[in-house]
Amino acid sequence: VQLQASGGGLVQAGESLRLSCAATGEIFSVNFMAWYRQTPGKERELIADITRDGRPKYADSVEGRFIISRDNAKKVVYLQMNSLEPEDTAVYYCRANIWVRPEDDRSEDYWGRGTQVTVSS
């Protein structure tokens, strides 16, 4: 199982970006999916997550600006980031809780490698 994140880049303040994260490999079911971000010297921060049936939650820092969504058929989670601010500059990571095989005892957490988002003022 792998998570591949994409969509990062360099934008100016006020602009938008959309991140994508696709889960590939042998997968029976994808449970919750989430986006985190991390800046140098700081802990990785949960900014948005979404349940399998599409219920989102957001950190206060991104509420009203970011939108998390998912496509269960494609096993992809998205993060639409609007009104970006320089403070949003970070490496963004996706995380997914995945049930690999139906006979497994439990599901496992997987992480993507991260994609850099830089917002200039």
Side-chain angles (χ1 to χ4, degrees):
V1 175
Q2 288 189 329
L3 295 182
Q4 182 64 49
S6 61
L10 172 63
V11 297
Q12 293 189 332
E15 294 184 340
S16 300
L17 275 176
R18 188 173 86 150
L19 305 182
S20 301
C21 177
T24 60
E26 182 182 5
I27 296 172
F28 172 67
S29 176
V30 182
N31 302 321
F32 79 82
M33 305 182 85
W35 287 98
Y36 291 70
R37 66 186 181 189
Q38 188 171 25
T39 55
K42 293 189 176 182
E43 292 187 358
R44 196 169 293 186
E45 171 194 20
L46 173 64
I47 57 171
D49 63 52
I50 186 166
T51 61
R52 178 170 175 78
D53 60 358
R55 287 174 289 150
K57 287 195 299 185
Y58 300 96
D60 290 343
S61 58
V62 305
E63 179 84 54
R65 299 187 299 123
F66 290 11
I67 301 171
I68 187 171
S69 61
R70 64 187 286 169
D71 184 327
N72 288 338
K74 295 180 180 179
K75 301 182 182 64
V76 177
V77 61
Y78 304 99
L79 186 68
Q80 177 66 42
M81 305 186 292
N82 301 318
S83 303
L84 283 162
E85 304 167 351
E87 293 74 22
D88 295 317
T89 296
V91 177
Y92 284 70
Y93 297 89
C94 58
R95 174 189 173 197
N97 183 264
I98 294 174
W99 206 284
V100 176
R101 289 168 294 271
E103 64 269 25
D104 288 348
D105 291 335
R106 61 177 184 174
S107 57
E108 300 285 347
D109 283 346
Y110 293 84
W111 289 86
R113 293 184 61 182
T115 183
Q116 176 71 45
V117 172
T118 303
V119 184
S120 63
S121 58

